Amino acid sequence: MSEYDFDFFVIGAGSGGVRAARMAAGHGARVAVAEDKDLGGTCVNVGCVPKKLFTYSAHYAGDFEDAAAYGWEVGACGFHWDQLIANKNTEIRRLNGVYGRLMDEAGISLIRGRAILTGPNAVTVEGSEYTAKYILVATGSRPVVPDFPGNEHVITSDEAFHLAALPERMVMVGGGYIAVEFAGIFHSLGVAVTQLYRGPLFLRGFDNDLREMLAVEMRKQGVDLRFESQVAKIEKQGKAFQVTLKDGSAVEADLVMYATGRAPNTKGLGLEVAGVDLAENGAVKVDNHFCSNVPSVYALGDVIDRVQLTPVAITEAMCVADHLFGEGALADMSYDNIPSAVFSHPNLATVGLTEEEARRRFGEVEVYVSSFMALKHTLTGRDENTFMKLVTEPGAGRVLGLHMMGEAAGEIVQGFAVAMTCGATKAQFDATIGIHPTSAEEFVTLRTPRE
Ligand code: NDP
């Protein structure tokens, strides 16, 4: 009989926590998961999944316009936000159920309530104490809004998923994934969007060509994109808001949304009681195996603030479960070549190094680009560019970075990410036969490097 109630106690039923729990249970561990909100965490409830459903909805706006060029007569179109929200909620509830069933079938004990560590091997949930050989902190992150006068008037992505009605005018603050994606969604759904970003060009960390190209496309569509813009204060004026910028100018809006990053959820978890070291921003500090300075306490996903992406948390979870309860056969987590997509309008997707980073690391590199109008728009006349870019070692060597802006960029780049993980070279890209006519074939037909 074990001295502990459980072998593995997971705090947080998000993507990372549930995957770690299921894998550990599969290895024969006795596992509990504690959760005080809906099952599935940010991704399922207020992140990736409902956001992607919103982007599908938003893309119909352009599709209806384009349909006429293909012979379709589309009658009067109306959009009903409440219908979208209701259907989205139904799907999220279904997914909550799927998460519950998956844990149930794996023999995992689901404990409802807020878990607090009371020692290196002990947790209380709503007054009941549980002991465990290992505790996994998978509590995710939450949106942060900076301090400034009037910040109580803003919403974050959490609330954006439950708006009672669409505003006529909105201000979006931030220049990361969430700000760019929601600016595109709301604009396509008919909201007049002003996006404010504090730096010279949004999407810092992405390849510069992609950043510039997307800014051009969003402005063509009518998003009022303002860089080097910082909010000084927000005042309520009747039902609207006056957003005053640091340069003295002002923008009026019916809704102000902040998407200025997410902070690890470690407050009030009892981590100090257990002696767990935190970074300055509250993230749990972990080693290569996701172990904190306390040998029985592990952490992964957004709460360790390495890469805030669901598939990364899931991969980290598989490493943890394998390390603690499996054969230890999985290699250490690699953070190289993590593909990602921004579901902006148009989409961006990327894998590997930006041109700037590749030059910094490798000195000389070759850059291949292609910028064109997708075949679909030859009939519709829609003024939207597709852009593809490869960054390679000179002499048809390894492909170091692959970047795309255009329809289905995420779907396309996912496939090429496999090739990149295998260390594919430009020579191998050249030897690959294209699928015609697609946009993706450009990646294997780029022959002349940019001067
Ligand atoms: P990001 O970290 O991506 O971006 C935050 C943005 O807010 C940056 O542009 C940043 O500017 C700006 N910012 C930060 N602090 C301030 C401030 N005090 N005042 C004004 N602007 C500020 O965070 P998000 O909130 O967009 O998203 C959180 C994470 O969620 C992302 O990092 C991503 O990993 C994940 N995510 C992934 C998605 C996907 O895979 N498609 C979709 C949505 C989210 P600066 O660049 O100057 O620092």
Side-chain angles (χ1 to χ4, degrees):
M1 194 60 192
S2 164
E3 58 182 300
Y4 300 110
D5 299 329
F6 295 102
D7 299 315
F8 197 40
F9 195 105
V10 179
I11 307 179
S15 309
V18 170
R19 180 60 65 95
R22 289 175 57 213
M23 297 295 287
H27 289 304
R30 294 167 312 135
V31 183
V33 173
E35 174 60 66
D36 65 347
K37 297 206 189 88
D38 293 324
L39 303 182
T42 301
C43 176
V44 166
N45 294 289
V46 282
C48 330
V49 175
K51 181 276 310 288
K52 189 78 189 282
L53 298 178
F54 280 8
T55 65
Y56 286 129
S57 175
H59 277 286
Y60 275 102
D63 292 344
F64 286 129
E65 281 171 19
D66 292 344
Y70 284 91
W72 286 93
E73 188 182 314
V74 180
C77 289
F79 172 69
H80 304 285
W81 172 254
D82 50 351
Q83 187 66 61
L84 172 63
I85 295 287
N87 292 350
K88 180 267 292 178
N89 289 345
T90 304
E91 172 58 8
I92 302 306
R93 271 196 299 280
R94 189 187 70 82
L95 290 174
N96 297 148
V98 169
Y99 268 70
R101 273 196 301 284
L102 284 175
M103 286 194 279
D104 202 36
E105 283 161 15
I108 296 165
S109 305
L110 175 62
I111 301 171
R112 290 299 199 155
R114 188 164 174 75
I116 298 170
L117 276 81
T118 49
N121 298 95
V123 174
T124 60
V125 186
E126 313 289 329
S128 301
E129 174 134 328
Y130 304 91
T131 58
K133 186 168 182 195
Y134 298 109
I135 294 169
L136 178 68
V137 181
T139 47
S141 63
R142 63 184 188 289
V144 283
V145 176
D147 267 343
F148 63 89
N151 74 350
E152 69 276 14
H153 299 308
V154 313
I155 67 156
T156 67
S157 52
D158 280 357
E159 293 79 36
F161 289 109
H162 301 286
L163 286 180
L166 279 180
E168 271 179 39
R169 307 157 298 172
M170 82 175 298
V171 165
M172 175 69 71
V173 181
Y177 284 82
I178 297 179
V180 167
E181 290 182 342
F182 273 92
I185 289 166
F186 284 123
H187 170 78
S188 297
L189 295 180
V191 179
V193 178
T194 302
Q195 185 177 352
L196 307 175
Y197 173 58
R198 64 182 176 182
L201 185 58
F202 62 5
L203 290 173
R204 187 165 60 80
F206 283 79
D207 188 89
N208 277 343
D209 280 331
L210 279 195
R211 300 163 73 196
E212 281 165 14
M213 300 263 172
L214 182 65
V216 169
E217 294 303 322
M218 287 177 71
R219 283 183 168 135
K220 273 198 296 206
Q221 290 162 19
V223 176
D224 179 5
L225 209 49
R226 304 191 193 178
F227 297 145
E228 311 277 15
S229 291
Q230 292 203 53
V231 173
K233 62 177 176 181
I234 299 177
E235 290 160 307
K236 198 160 182 353
Q237 292 187 335
K239 284 190 176 160
F241 301 100
Q242 165 126 330
V243 181
T244 306
L245 308 189
K246 287 196 174 157
D247 66 6
S249 63
V251 189
E252 273 198 16
D254 309 299
L255 184 73
V256 185
M257 174 167 160
Y258 262 68
T260 46
R262 300 180 60 92
N265 278 331
T266 46
K267 275 201 192 118
L269 265 183
L271 290 166
E272 323 71 48
V273 178
V276 176
D277 280 349
L278 302 181
E280 219 167 277
N281 68 350
V284 180
K285 289 198 211 169
V286 291
D287 65 14
N288 280 348
H289 293 116
F290 305 97
C291 187
S292 73
N293 62 311
V294 177
S296 56
V297 179
Y298 284 67
L300 56 73
D302 283 10
V303 80
I304 63 171
D305 197 28
R306 284 187 180 165
V307 181
Q308 294 178 329
L309 295 174
T310 293
V312 171
I314 288 174
T315 311
E316 292 171 345
M318 296 202 281
C319 289
V320 169
D322 181 60
H323 173 67
L324 292 179
F325 304 106
E327 312 282 304
L330 285 185
D332 284 354
M333 172 82 196
S334 165
Y335 292 91
D336 291 337
N337 286 327
I338 294 173
S340 81
V342 185
F343 295 100
S344 45
H345 295 231
N347 289 183
L348 302 185
T350 183
V351 56
L353 303 179
T354 64
E355 179 181 344
E356 301 73 40
E357 182 61 12
R359 285 196 191 286
R360 203 179 59 75
R361 285 203 215 171
F362 293 87
E364 206 187 324
V365 294
E366 280 176 3
V367 175
Y368 299 80
V369 292
S370 175
S371 189
F372 57 96
M373 181 194 266
L375 177 61
K376 178 180 173 188
H377 295 309
T378 53
L379 292 202
T380 69
R382 180 174 290 280
D383 181 15
E384 182 180 295
N385 217 20
T386 297
F387 175 75
M388 341 264 288
K389 175 171 181 177
L390 287 181
V391 183
T392 75
E393 287 177 334
R398 260 183 320 150
V399 178
L400 303 170
L402 183 147
H403 312 280
M404 175 173 176
M405 176 184 76
E407 194 169 335
E411 306 290 345
I412 291 168
V413 169
Q414 179 68 85
F416 281 104
V418 178
M420 301 270 296
T421 303
C422 297
T425 61
K426 177 69 169 63
Q428 289 168 323
F429 271 51
D430 292 344
T432 302
I433 294 174
I435 299 176
H436 189 70
T438 62
S439 293
E441 70 181 314
E442 288 291 310
F443 276 129
V444 295
T445 54
L446 291 163
R447 292 290 181 265
T448 314
R450 181 158 73 182
E451 292 294 312

